[in-house]
Amino acid sequence: MQHFLLRALLPAILSLSALVQAASPGVVRFATSTVKPWGYLDSESREQGLLVSFARELSAEAGVPYRNYLQPYPRVIHSLKSGFVDFAVLFDSPLARQAGIRVGSVVMTEVMVVGAGKQEPLNSIENLAGMRVGYIRGSKYGAAFDNAAHFERVPINAMHQGVAMVIQGRLDAMASADQTLYHALTAMAVKPGQISRLLTLSQTSGGLYMSRTSSHRDLLPVYKEALGRMESSGALASIFYHPSVLFTAGQLNNAPLDGDSSNTDLQQRNN
């Protein structure tokens, strides 16, 4: 009798299971670049960083469970393009638009060059002639910087290393995205006057992108709306523009924008 009832109920159980699975979007996957302060593991191997916090808060706002993967930036792009992950924040560029569907804006950044002490801003990238200028290894700051022959580009593994070398006089200047620089200055407790902004190379935005081959394409409007709510509520600003970072930014001299921001393809690999 029990066997007969089980056989009778089995189709209903399977049907209910299918309905539950259909109603549940499952776990979506994010990829986050392993560049401080965007994404990194702390001393206890816990994920930390601006984009780690962003993925967590966005997923909570969307009401969808998620899993995050920390990867070097080129790998993030590949993972999104291949469909290994569903979402990633990329610096807006033709390469990013090839890799995924842009959901919306997340953060604005500037690419700048800084020097030691109190210095007057430079008028143009041409004024870097003869200098040794550090940059985060694997980064791309636009053709004007990447292809320049009038100064020496020195690859550096970590922002705090570059800042220290500038202060010590081992580098004449250091190029960086603003958030990366500000967090390094804050962590190192660099005092006002030790570092000055010499030149702003370009401005670029970071956007949330969804893989074109994602199996969760139906969730695109859900994340678009969740991102919009985070912007309206100030949640995005609270993640990316912490008061201590804004204070650090205010310590630097303003510098004129040099070059066309549309040519920027900011790709940071590791820190």
Side-chain angles (χ1 to χ4, degrees):
M1 183 66 177
Q2 290 180 343
H3 181 68
F4 174 79
L5 288 174
L6 180 61
R7 290 182 60 185
L9 290 173
L10 185 58
I13 294 173
L14 293 176
S15 177
L16 178 61
S17 176
L19 287 173
V20 170
Q21 290 181 7
S24 173
V27 177
V28 301
R29 293 166 294 183
F30 281 75
T32 298
S33 176
T34 51
V35 178
K36 287 184 177 181
W38 307 105
Y40 59 95
L41 294 177
D42 63 16
S43 58
E44 298 182 6
S45 297
R46 294 175 301 191
E47 291 188 356
Q48 303 287 353
L50 300 178
L51 291 182
V52 171
S53 297
F54 168 73
R56 181 174 60 248
E57 294 195 25
L58 177 65
S59 298
E61 183 68 37
V64 181
Y66 79 105
R67 180 175 178 182
N68 189 51
Y69 296 86
L70 291 178
Q71 300 177 333
Y73 190 71
R75 184 67 186 175
V76 170
I77 298 176
H78 180 270
S79 292
L80 188 74
K81 191 172 183 178
S82 68
F84 176 74
V85 299
D86 303 291
F87 292 100
V89 174
L90 305 178
F91 290 105
D92 291 320
S93 69
L95 184 61
R97 288 186 284 273
Q98 290 175 8
I101 303 168
R102 195 176 191 276
V103 181
S105 296
V106 175
V107 63
M108 290 295 299
T109 65
E110 290 184 346
V111 181
M112 65 180 69
V113 178
V114 297
K118 295 182 178 180
Q119 300 186 44
E120 291 298 317
L122 302 178
N123 295 321
S124 168
I125 193 172
E126 299 302 323
N127 296 127
L128 295 176
M131 292 186 182
R132 299 183 75 244
V133 183
Y135 69 100
I136 299 297
R137 188 183 303 274
S139 298
K140 301 295 182 183
Y141 297 143
F145 182 90
D146 301 335
N147 302 327
H150 61 283
F151 61 87
E152 180 185 357
R153 291 183 300 279
V154 182
I156 303 297
N157 291 325
M159 194 64 223
H160 69 271
Q161 177 189 8
V163 170
M165 292 175 70
V166 168
I167 293 175
Q168 296 165 5
R170 297 165 58 193
L171 286 175
D172 297 306
M174 183 72 191
S176 172
D178 54 2
Q179 290 276 0
T180 308
L181 172 66
Y182 297 156
H183 281 77
L185 295 180
T186 302
M188 297 171 68
V190 173
K191 298 178 180 179
Q194 286 187 284
I195 291 288
S196 294
R197 174 159 51 178
L198 302 181
L199 185 70
T200 301
L201 294 174
S202 58
Q203 296 174 321
T204 189
S205 57
L208 176 65
Y209 285 82
M210 185 178 201
S211 174
R212 297 183 183 276
T213 59
S214 171
S215 60
H216 299 289
R217 287 280 296 273
D218 59 313
L219 291 177
L220 182 59
V222 173
Y223 280 89
K224 186 180 291 288
E225 292 173 6
L227 186 60
R229 290 194 298 271
M230 288 182 66
E231 181 178 9
S232 299
S233 68
L236 281 180
S238 68
I239 294 173
F240 294 102
Y241 302 105
H242 190 274
S244 65
V245 176
L246 293 178
F247 175 76
T248 304
Q251 297 177 16
L252 302 178
N253 295 331
N254 290 324
L257 180 66
D258 183 81
D260 182 359
S261 61
S262 64
N263 293 328
T264 299
D265 183 12
L266 182 60
Q267 302 175 18
Q268 302 199 40
R269 291 178 55 186
N270 52 60
N271 193 13

